[in-house]
Amino acid sequence: MLPEDAARRELVERAGRTILGGAGYRRIETPAFEATELFVRTVGEATDIVRKEMYTFDDGGGRSLTLRPEGTAPVCRAYLEHGMHKLPQPVKLWYLGSFFRAEAPQRGRYRQFWQIGAEAIGSGTPETDAELIVLLAELLEEVGAHQLKLRLSSLGSPQTRAEYREELKSYLRANEERLSGDVRERIELNPLRAFDASDPGTREVMREAPVLLDRLDESDAGHFTRVRELLDDVGISYEIDPTLVRGLDYYNRTLFEFESGSLGAQSGVGGGGRYDGLIEQIGGSPTPAVGFAAGVERMLMAAGEPEAETQPIDLFVAVAIQEASREAWKLSREARRAGLRAQSELAGRSLKSQLRHADRVGARYTAIIGDEGEVTLRNMSTGEQRDVALSEVIGAIT
Ligand code: AMP
């Protein structure tokens, strides 16, 4: 992140605090690395993330650690480790931090990137799913992301999914010769990924493929209907997309993703879903949960060009002669302590270049300190100058 991006980053953080904090989500930050096992178990051994995108290293003591590729598993680990299951449920948390995936970098895809995310752990109600979707929509709106589309689906229960997987595998095997080599190789390991393929042959096969949404049991179907009703109630539009897949294994029931038409190939801005089995998978008791994560760089890309940033300062303290630099040093500090934005000359420039520099940094006033501590106060927009005592400078411009 370069200084010119800082203001927009701060906007995301502020939006998180206002929107997520306002809904009762409390901030949590987990360490940059975790035991590798945590991600292998939850994100899933067959996923791209675990197969090839993790930065994994030995810590020198025989433990395998991994730079976190995502935030949900670490937050769930913290939930368990810190006894949050004893708090009133759901426990609502949000985070903002950097994540790491060894991917080929391109526009919108980085090896270190930022995510803002939220998790509600300990509630299985459809209201919780809908709340997270609405909060993500509000965050994206607040940041100014354009051309958004919400895709929504349901994965049902692990059992429905397992049965469906078998059905899909048989279908893929029956049409094997029309599939791309990559998809064919992964029929056993990850048949759902075939929906993501871009080659024409596979796409044609997938148009006729059975879809999981048609196989949901009554209770999963009821849950999904309720989530949709709740979104309808607050005017959030969405598109049901039975082919929606996300690159993590832990989801069940509701799955959602916001895309932006202004992003090109890497169109996913943020998404999430329900993950009722995850806490149990890492050693807790069965605990329903739902969450989302959105990529900060992509949110900002979808928000378009930043406005030119100006951060004017109140006072630039210049020196007419080098001997005055100690007075200048004290005055700029005093001014900052009085709540002003103030800088003093640090580069030993001539008076003329100091004034030019004061102009460049957008100073409202420049105090020029001379011999014996006399001060000329210059209003930088009018050019008007007057002499004031050193002790009166701050009072004169506040
Ligand atoms: P995921 O955890 O894969 O669902 O990713 C959630 C969001 O994080 C995506 O929608 C992207 O906005 C963002 N994201 C994921 N991977 C990257 C990456 N390599 N570079 C930048 N943003 C990413």
Side-chain angles (χ1 to χ4, degrees):
M1 182 192 76
L2 296 168
E4 49 271 34
D5 305 322
R8 292 184 348 130
R9 292 275 176 144
E10 280 160 21
L11 172 68
V12 174
E13 182 158 9
R14 218 167 29 243
R17 249 198 326 266
T18 325
I19 293 168
L20 304 174
Y25 288 69
R26 295 192 308 145
R27 182 140 181 200
I28 183 168
E29 290 305 335
T30 62
F33 53 81
E34 298 274 350
T36 302
E37 182 59 19
L38 176 68
F39 300 112
V40 174
R41 253 208 249 171
T42 56
V43 174
E45 232 155 336
T47 59
D48 281 351
I49 294 181
V50 170
R51 283 172 70 225
K52 50 187 184 195
E53 294 171 2
M54 297 206 304
Y55 287 106
T56 295
F57 57 98
D58 187 293
D59 73 348
R63 278 174 300 250
S64 175
L65 300 179
T66 291
L67 291 181
R68 57 182 185 178
E70 64 96 50
T72 300
V75 168
C76 289
R77 196 243 337 119
Y79 170 91
L80 275 182
E81 226 170 270
H82 297 277
M84 290 188 232
H85 55 285
K86 294 185 206 120
L87 300 174
Q89 308 289 301
V91 171
K92 303 191 290 184
L93 302 165
W94 75 277
Y95 59 83
L96 172 66
S98 51
F99 293 83
F100 309 85
R101 293 184 194 173
E103 301 186 90
Q106 52 181 285
R107 188 178 136 80
R109 186 186 288 271
Y110 313 102
R111 288 174 294 198
Q112 175 170 357
F113 56 97
W114 285 64
Q115 281 187 341
I116 183 165
E119 318 285 352
I121 306 175
S123 165
T125 66
E127 282 74 9
T128 321
D129 308 37
E131 173 166 293
L132 281 149
I133 296 173
V134 168
L135 290 173
L136 178 52
E138 284 174 13
L139 262 184
L140 295 171
E141 185 187 343
E142 180 68 18
V143 171
H146 299 300
Q147 296 185 43
L148 290 177
K149 193 171 87 182
L150 168 61
R151 294 159 73 209
L152 188 65
S153 190
S154 173
L155 293 174
S157 66
Q159 197 201 331
T160 311
R161 208 168 151 193
E163 285 163 13
Y164 167 75
R165 247 173 103 95
E166 291 312 311
E167 185 186 354
L168 182 62
K169 279 198 232 169
S170 315
Y171 175 81
L172 291 173
R173 273 192 232 106
N175 292 280
E176 209 165 330
E177 72 289 349
R178 289 155 67 204
L179 302 174
S180 74
D182 196 36
V183 170
R184 211 178 309 148
E185 261 169 43
R186 289 170 69 187
I187 293 181
E188 292 305 317
L189 204 57
N190 197 354
L192 277 165
R193 272 287 171 175
F195 284 109
D196 257 2
S198 53
D199 69 286
T202 308
R203 288 184 75 98
E204 203 181 303
V205 172
M206 296 322 285
R207 263 197 287 279
E208 304 289 315
V211 291
L212 180 56
L213 259 188
D214 297 334
R215 304 288 185 268
L216 298 187
D217 68 24
E218 210 179 309
S219 116
D220 291 337
H223 184 99
F224 191 45
T225 305
R226 185 86 186 110
V227 171
R228 283 156 47 190
E229 285 167 357
L230 292 163
L231 295 177
D232 294 340
D233 284 349
V234 293
I236 300 265
S237 51
Y238 52 84
E239 199 174 278
I240 304 291
D241 183 350
T243 67
L244 181 60
V245 279
R246 308 196 78 248
L248 307 107
D249 269 0
Y250 48 63
Y251 291 117
N252 67 305
R253 289 196 157 173
T254 316
L255 197 65
F256 55 94
E257 184 156 278
F258 282 87
E259 285 182 354
S260 168
S262 61
L263 288 185
Q266 306 302 322
S267 62
V269 183
R274 184 159 273 291
Y275 51 91
D276 294 338
L278 201 158
I279 298 266
E280 196 179 2
Q281 233 170 15
I282 59 173
S285 43
T287 309
V290 54
F292 71 72
V296 172
E297 292 82 6
R298 297 225 194 135
M299 288 168 84
L300 295 177
M301 275 165 64
E305 281 306 303
E307 285 179 19
E309 188 202 339
T310 48
Q311 278 202 338
I313 65 167
D314 298 304
L315 179 67
F316 187 84
V317 186
V319 288
I321 50 162
Q322 268 320 304
E323 290 68 30
S325 60
R326 288 180 74 176
E327 292 305 340
W329 160 248
K330 285 190 280 184
L331 176 58
S332 61
R333 177 166 187 271
E334 233 174 89
R336 285 195 296 271
R337 287 170 70 90
L340 297 172
R341 300 164 66 95
Q343 298 179 19
S344 55
E345 170 60 9
L346 293 178
R349 279 174 271 239
S350 70
L351 182 57
K352 198 167 150 205
S353 347
Q354 288 179 63
L355 288 173
R356 228 184 357 248
H357 185 66
D359 211 29
R360 199 161 43 219
V361 296
R364 279 202 300 128
Y365 286 93
T366 298
I368 306 159
I369 308 190
D371 209 1
E372 310 291 325
E374 79 271 2
V375 180
T376 304
L377 189 62
R378 181 183 173 91
N379 179 325
M380 298 300 284
S381 52
T382 62
E384 178 203 332
Q385 296 196 164
R386 62 192 163 109
D387 293 338
V388 294
L390 190 57
S391 59
E392 286 165 9
V393 173
I394 293 170
I397 65 172
T398 40

